[in-house]
Amino acid sequence: MGVNRTSVTEFTLLGFCVGPRIQVLLFGLFSLLYALTLLGNGAILGLVSLNPQLHTPMYFFLCHLAAVDMAYACNTVPQMLVNLLHPARPISFAGCMEQTFLFMTFAHTECVLLVVMSYDRYVAICHPLRYSVVMSWRVCTVLAVTSWVFSSLLALVHVGLILRLPFCGPHEINHFFCEILSVLKLACVDTRLNQVVIFVASVFILVGPLCLVLVSYTRILGAILRIQSREGRRKAFSTCSSHLCVVGLFFGSAIVLYMAPKSRHPEEEQKILFLFYSFFNPLLNPLIYSLRNAEVKGALRRGLCKGSHSQLE
């Protein structure tokens, strides 16, 4: 007998399997974290744009990272909040594919941006005299545009492979957004090709960039140790350690989700890990860069002082 294949028009996101009271509590908590994520990353964008001292390649890429983090949150969190108040509310097939495409685009873009930012730090510390030439504004613009375009094309490949699959039910996605692995579980044909492409892409976009970052920071560490001034070593290590914290959080959770054996990570545990992409990474990134970066803290203090002086006048 053939499989009864029907045209799917919508999916149902199951979200978190908790009671009504816990759902209300999670709605309040996630709403607060969502607002803080937008506020924190928006503050980074505002500080960099309003302070000429921060108009450097490092903060140019930091602005792109902040934009990616805000886009992450805006892509997944509103739908999750709606589902917490109205469980089992459906999402259209087109909306689900759009959410998957945007999530993959932002994930890939963040991977590439973190590598570019590590290269920027490598040039700044290991080749300071050539920094302005190597990291010119033209080069920075090309790197940023390439990151977005490449990531979008790779995400388009994933979505294109999903669109060729038939879905014949059930139409319930056991997740709080249309995550690609959860969507593939609903297909009524073999998805081995999709799984292979996801794994190969994970090696290419996760393991490869992570190795490049580690190589860059191995050389950076050697250069820092050769700096004679104690203050110079402290300043160089401060900016690099902020980036390393972000790299560890992002790549660690991504590799666990997409490259570790799935039998060791039940679906409910995977949902918790994906909260890192929706909340914790986007929320922690501006905190890490602001609390461990003297230039950002100085720009914030100057902005607050100007605000207080204008109120007094």
Side-chain angles (χ1 to χ4, degrees):
M1 293 180 64
V3 181
N4 180 22
R5 300 180 180 181
T6 58
S7 177
V8 176
T9 58
E10 60 184 29
F11 290 111
T12 300
L13 295 170
L14 297 182
F16 298 96
C17 300
V18 294
R21 292 184 178 180
I22 302 298
Q23 286 182 335
V24 173
L25 179 63
L26 289 178
F27 176 84
L29 175 62
F30 291 161
S31 297
L32 176 62
L33 294 177
Y34 181 48
L36 292 175
T37 297
L38 298 182
L39 181 63
N41 287 284
I44 292 291
L45 292 173
L47 283 174
V48 174
S49 62
L50 295 176
N51 287 270
Q53 299 93 330
L54 301 182
H55 291 177
T56 62
M58 183 177 77
Y59 296 105
F60 172 75
F61 293 120
L62 180 58
C63 282
H64 280 270
L65 186 64
V68 169
D69 288 336
M70 293 177 72
Y72 260 134
C74 293
N75 182 47
T76 58
V77 176
Q79 181 72 44
M80 180 177 62
L81 295 177
V82 169
N83 289 342
L84 284 172
L85 291 182
H86 305 283
R89 183 168 179 173
I91 181 174
S92 68
F93 180 83
C96 188
M97 292 300 101
E98 178 185 359
Q99 193 177 59
T100 302
F101 169 75
L102 291 175
F103 179 83
M104 300 301 291
T105 297
F106 301 143
H108 297 153
T109 303
E110 183 150 356
C111 287
V112 180
L113 283 176
L114 290 174
V115 175
V116 171
M117 292 174 74
S118 70
Y119 176 70
D120 171 76
R121 292 298 84 205
Y122 164 74
V123 176
I125 294 174
C126 298
H127 304 283
L129 299 179
R130 298 176 55 200
Y131 180 73
S132 60
V133 176
V134 176
M135 298 302 294
S136 65
W137 282 113
R138 182 178 180 181
V139 171
C140 293
T141 303
V142 169
L143 288 173
V145 171
T146 302
S147 300
W148 284 97
V149 173
F150 168 77
S151 302
S152 300
L153 292 176
L154 186 55
L156 194 61
V157 171
H158 289 299
V159 174
L161 289 174
I162 294 177
L163 292 175
R164 57 181 276 277
L165 300 174
F167 295 88
C168 48
H171 302 156
E172 295 179 338
I173 299 176
N174 189 16
H175 218 294
F176 59 84
F177 76 104
C178 292
E179 193 273 324
I180 187 170
L181 295 178
S182 300
V183 173
L184 288 178
K185 292 177 182 179
L186 304 185
C188 49
V189 294
D190 186 14
T191 61
R192 194 170 304 165
L193 175 61
N194 299 73
Q195 300 283 353
V196 170
V197 171
I198 291 172
F199 183 81
V200 172
S202 297
V203 173
F204 183 70
I205 202 72
L206 290 175
V207 178
L210 181 58
C211 291
L212 292 175
V213 171
L214 293 178
V215 169
S216 296
Y217 273 96
T218 300
R219 297 189 175 185
I220 288 172
L221 181 60
I224 291 176
L225 294 176
R226 290 193 297 269
I227 296 176
Q228 299 298 324
S229 168
R230 183 176 180 181
E231 179 63 22
R233 288 197 302 269
R234 187 197 64 78
K235 184 177 180 180
F237 184 76
S238 176
T239 58
C240 293
S241 61
S242 301
H243 185 246
L244 275 177
C245 290
V246 174
V247 167
L249 287 171
F250 181 84
F251 282 96
S253 53
I255 289 174
V256 167
L257 282 167
Y258 287 103
M259 302 193 71
K262 294 296 177 283
S263 58
R264 298 182 184 178
H265 303 287
E267 290 179 330
E268 295 303 317
E269 186 177 329
Q270 290 185 39
K271 293 178 189 178
I272 296 175
L273 288 174
F274 267 106
L275 288 176
F276 274 95
Y277 292 97
S278 298
F279 286 116
F280 301 118
N281 271 356
L283 179 61
L284 290 175
N285 285 356
L287 289 176
I288 291 172
Y289 278 108
S290 61
L291 293 177
R292 297 188 62 84
N293 192 299
E295 291 178 319
V296 173
K297 287 190 288 187
L300 181 60
R301 282 195 297 267
R302 287 191 297 269
L304 293 176
C305 289
K306 287 182 180 179
S308 61
H309 286 321
S310 62
Q311 286 182 356
L312 291 175
E313 292 176 357

